[in-house]
Amino acid sequence: MNMKVDLCGVTLNNPVMTASGTFGSGAEYSEFVDLNKLGGVVTKGVANVPWPGNPTPRVTETASGMLNAIGLQNPGIDLFCKRDIPFLKQYDTKIIVNVCGKSTEDYCEVVERLADQPVDMLEINLSCPNVKEGGLVFGTCPDSAAEVVKAVKSNTSKMVITKLSPNVTDIVAMAQAVEAAGTDAISLINTLIGMKIDIDRQKPVLGNVIGGLSGPAVRPVAVRMCYQVAQNVHVPIIGMGGIMTAEDAIEFFLAGASAVAVGTVNFTNPCIAETISHGILEYMDKHGIKKLKDMIGLAL
C-alpha cells in the first residue's frame, strides 16, 4: 500500500503532518518522536521580526479541547533561519514554514527571506490582525485574504498553502477567493474563537480574554468545512481540527482532504502522528485500498 502524497509537486512520505503552533519547530519533540516518521513538520508561525505574544495566562483547558491565546509569539525569521531550519534538515521530512504578519508587506518580507532557504512549502497564516485595517483579521475578509496570497505568490517560487479561519460566514467564499488569488493548497481549519470565565474570580481566564478553541470539540465543524470546500475548489486540502485518532483523520480524507495535520493532541501524546499513520494503513488494508489517493473524497 502506498502512503505517499503528492502535494502540489512536493512528495510527502505519508499524509500526516503536525499542525502549526503545536510542535514548535520540532526540536522540543525530537526526544519523543522520530521526525523521519512524519509526512511534514509545519513550524510555529514566523514573522519578519520577533513577536512577544499576548499577556499570560495564555492557555486553558475546556471540555473536549483547549483555548490558547499565545499571540503568535516567535523569535523572528533571522533566528529561525539560523537555528530551526538546519535542525529540521537533519531529518527525512518536509519542512513547511507557517508565515505570519500584520501587513501584506510583513508576509512578503518573510517569504523573500526564505527564498534561498531549503524549505519545501509555505503556509500563510491569515489569522493575524491587519494593523492597517484596524485589527481586522486577514482571514475574515475574502479581498484581504486574496491580497496577501497574490503578494506572497509574486514574491516566492515555493508552493503556497493558505490556512483559513473558520470564523467566517462563508468558508467556501474564502476558499474560492484564495484559490483565485493563486494559492497552491488550502489548510483548514484554524481555531474557533472562544473564551472561558473563572466563576470564582469572576473574570476571564485568559489574559487576552478570548482565545482559539482547538481539540475534539471543533472536529465536526472542521469536517463540515472540509467537505464543503472540497466540492468547490480544485486545489488540494490539508484537513485539521481535533484529530485524535486514525479514524478522525480518515473522516477528513473521505471529506476531500489530501493530507491531514494533528495539533492539540501533540501536547498529550507526542508520538500520535506515527500511531495515526499506522491506523490509516490498517484501514486501507481492511477496505482493499491500495493508494491513499483512492479514498480521498469518497464521501462527497
Side-chain angles (χ1 to χ4, degrees):
M1 287 176 287
N2 189 349
M3 286 275 281
K4 290 185 180 295
V5 173
D6 183 330
L7 202 60
C8 311
V10 176
T11 301
L12 278 59
N13 290 333
N14 68 69
V16 185
M17 300 181 287
T18 59
S20 175
T22 66
F23 209 74
S25 292
E28 56 264 57
Y29 280 85
S30 60
E31 296 179 28
F32 306 100
V33 58
D34 182 357
L35 302 188
N36 297 301
K37 301 293 181 64
L38 301 174
V41 172
V42 185
T43 70
K44 183 170 172 52
V46 181
N48 58 331
V49 294
W51 286 9
N54 288 327
T56 56
R58 293 176 169 185
V59 178
T60 184
E61 290 188 59
T62 64
S64 297
M66 63 176 280
L67 285 165
N68 92 84
I70 305 301
L72 292 165
Q73 177 184 351
N74 73 92
I77 186 64
D78 290 338
L79 181 57
F80 177 81
C81 290
K82 180 181 179 180
R83 179 189 66 188
D84 297 333
I85 294 176
F87 173 81
L88 287 170
K89 285 304 294 180
Q90 300 174 87
Y91 299 92
D92 180 23
T93 189
K94 299 305 177 186
I95 305 172
I96 300 100
V97 181
N98 183 278
V99 178
C100 53
K102 295 178 180 177
S103 68
T104 302
E105 292 75 19
D106 288 353
Y107 286 97
C108 291
E109 189 174 333
V110 177
V111 300
E112 288 170 2
R113 181 73 173 78
L114 290 168
D116 59 353
Q117 294 293 319
V119 302
D120 299 288
M121 303 182 81
L122 308 176
E123 181 182 65
I124 307 306
N125 186 345
L126 295 180
S127 294
C128 309
N130 184 346
V131 293
K132 293 185 178 179
E133 298 294 336
L136 175 72
V137 173
F138 286 102
T140 60
C141 172
D143 290 341
S144 294
E147 176 190 333
V148 173
V149 172
K150 285 179 182 177
V152 167
K153 285 292 294 180
S154 67
N155 282 276
T156 184
S157 60
K158 300 184 188 299
M159 294 294 102
V160 172
I161 305 164
T162 303
K163 189 169 188 176
L164 296 183
S165 167
N167 302 300
V168 296
T169 303
D170 187 347
I171 192 67
V172 171
M174 292 298 304
Q176 291 175 327
V178 298
E179 179 183 40
T183 194
D184 299 290
I186 292 170
S187 60
L188 61 122
I189 59 173
N190 209 324
T191 55
L192 288 157
I193 296 173
M195 70 177 291
K196 183 177 181 179
I197 294 174
D198 184 325
I199 62 171
D200 293 318
R201 293 174 53 244
Q202 300 175 352
K203 294 182 181 298
V205 171
L206 295 174
N208 193 58
V209 181
I210 63 171
L213 176 66
S214 63
V218 310
R219 189 171 61 252
V221 176
V223 172
R224 183 264 295 179
M225 289 190 169
C226 180
Y227 183 85
Q228 289 179 306
V229 170
Q231 296 176 82
N232 289 281
V233 301
H234 299 95
V235 296
I237 295 168
I238 302 167
M240 64 194 71
I243 295 175
M244 305 287 283
T245 65
E247 290 76 14
D248 297 339
I250 290 162
E251 275 197 75
F252 281 92
F253 294 126
L254 298 179
S258 296
V260 295
V262 294
T264 301
V265 68
N266 288 318
F267 297 126
T268 56
N269 184 355
C271 303
I272 192 64
E274 185 176 354
T275 302
I276 288 173
S277 292
H278 287 312
I280 294 168
L281 274 173
E282 291 173 1
Y283 177 87
M284 291 171 63
D285 182 51
K286 178 181 178 181
H287 292 270
I289 300 169
K290 300 299 182 184
K291 298 179 181 179
L292 183 89
K293 66 179 183 179
D294 293 337
M295 70 170 168
I296 295 171
L298 288 180
L300 299 178

